[in-house]
């Protein structure tokens, strides 16, 4: 199996670059969607999050919006949430990777520092994008707030960290066409 991890800071263009790999036939795993599925459907995780944060709504489900607000409220809460979700997330992800018949997989994984939890060989491609561009992209999404971007950006590792622990780095401060050209050179 060839496993490519796409990583980068918030708003850097991870999803767009992942689509470039998908067009080349790579099976795509979005870690955010995968984590959200676990949060909303795994009873063990639901119970642990509810015990820690009393977060169940009237339907006895976890509101992702409420969980995001808790995560944004403090780094301590962020760390608690990650300590509950990450062990199960990586156990399930490694199981899926191990059982997959796919020859080429692209995994969108924002938190590069957690990639050491993956039990299979991989290459990391990080996307380097300046702060202003990343903020503009984040704020272009519906219901996004500048104060959320500031907090989420602060939670992430430095751009230098991403570069140091990546096999390849692609700059993405321009158009999708420029990113596509850079992808083609890398590919």
């Amino acid at each position: 199996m060839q496993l490519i991890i796409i990583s980068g800071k918030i708003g850097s263009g991870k999803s767009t670059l992942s689509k470039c790999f998908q067009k080349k036939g790579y099976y795509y795993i979005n870690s955010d969607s995968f984590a959200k599925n676990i949060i909303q459907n795994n009873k063990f995780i639901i119970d642990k999050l509810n015990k820690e944060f009393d977060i169940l709504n009237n339907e006895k489900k976890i509101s992702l919006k409420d969980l995001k607000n808790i995560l944004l409220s403090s780094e301590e809460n962020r760390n608690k949430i990650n300590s509950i979700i990450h062990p199960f997330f990586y156990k399930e992800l490694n199981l899926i990777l191990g059982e997959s018949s796919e020859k080429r997989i692209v995994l969108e994984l924002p938190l590069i520092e957690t990639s050491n939890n993956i039990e299979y060989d991989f290459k990391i491609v990080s996307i380097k994008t300046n702060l202003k561009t990343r903020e503009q992209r984040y704020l272009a999404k519906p219901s996004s707030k500048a104060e959320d971007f500031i907090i989420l950006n602060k939670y992430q590792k430095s751009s230098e960290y991403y570069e140091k622990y990546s096999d390849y780095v692609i700059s993405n401060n321009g158009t999708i066409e420029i990113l596509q050209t850079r992808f083609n050179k890398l590919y």
Side-chain angles (χ1 to χ4, degrees), residues 6-145:
I6 305 297
S7 198
K9 297 183 82 161
I10 187 168
S12 60
K14 295 178 295 294
S15 296
T16 303
L17 186 60
S18 294
K19 287 177 186 170
C20 293
F21 278 95
Q22 288 176 72
K23 288 178 183 175
K24 297 287 188 183
Y26 281 74
Y27 178 77
Y28 173 60
I29 300 173
N30 180 315
S31 64
D32 285 343
S33 297
F34 188 61
K36 288 174 184 175
N37 185 34
I38 289 169
I39 291 165
Q40 292 186 308
N41 296 303
N42 182 282
K43 182 157 176 32
F44 176 76
I45 297 294
I46 292 168
D47 290 346
K48 284 195 83 148
L49 288 170
N50 189 52
K51 183 177 180 183
E52 187 67 44
F53 301 108
D54 191 26
I55 193 172
L56 290 182
N57 61 22
N58 293 338
E59 293 91 39
K60 300 289 184 196
K61 294 190 181 257
I62 289 181
S63 159
L64 294 175
K65 182 180 176 186
D66 291 345
L67 187 62
K68 180 180 179 182
N69 289 335
I70 291 168
L71 180 134
L72 292 170
S73 69
S74 74
E75 195 154 358
E76 179 184 351
N77 283 346
R78 172 192 172 248
N79 292 336
K80 284 179 185 176
I81 291 168
N82 286 346
S83 73
I84 292 168
I85 296 168
H86 283 180
F88 190 83
F89 171 88
Y90 280 101
K91 180 180 176 187
E92 289 297 306
L93 179 61
N94 283 313
L95 188 65
I96 287 169
L97 292 172
E99 293 177 350
S100 177
S101 61
E102 299 291 336
K103 301 280 188 245
R104 301 182 308 166
I105 298 174
V106 63
L107 168 64
E108 187 177 330
L109 187 73
L111 302 178
I112 191 172
E113 66 272 21
T114 66
S115 63
N116 61 345
N117 292 301
I118 297 173
E119 298 170 353
Y120 300 91
D121 290 336
F122 56 83
K123 296 286 185 190
I124 297 178
V125 179
S126 283
I127 306 178
K128 182 178 181 180
T129 309
N130 67 49
L131 179 67
K132 182 179 178 186
T133 301
R134 291 188 301 105
E135 183 176 25
Q136 288 172 342
R137 290 175 183 163
Y138 180 81
L139 294 176
K141 295 179 182 179
S143 71
S144 297
K145 298 185 268 183

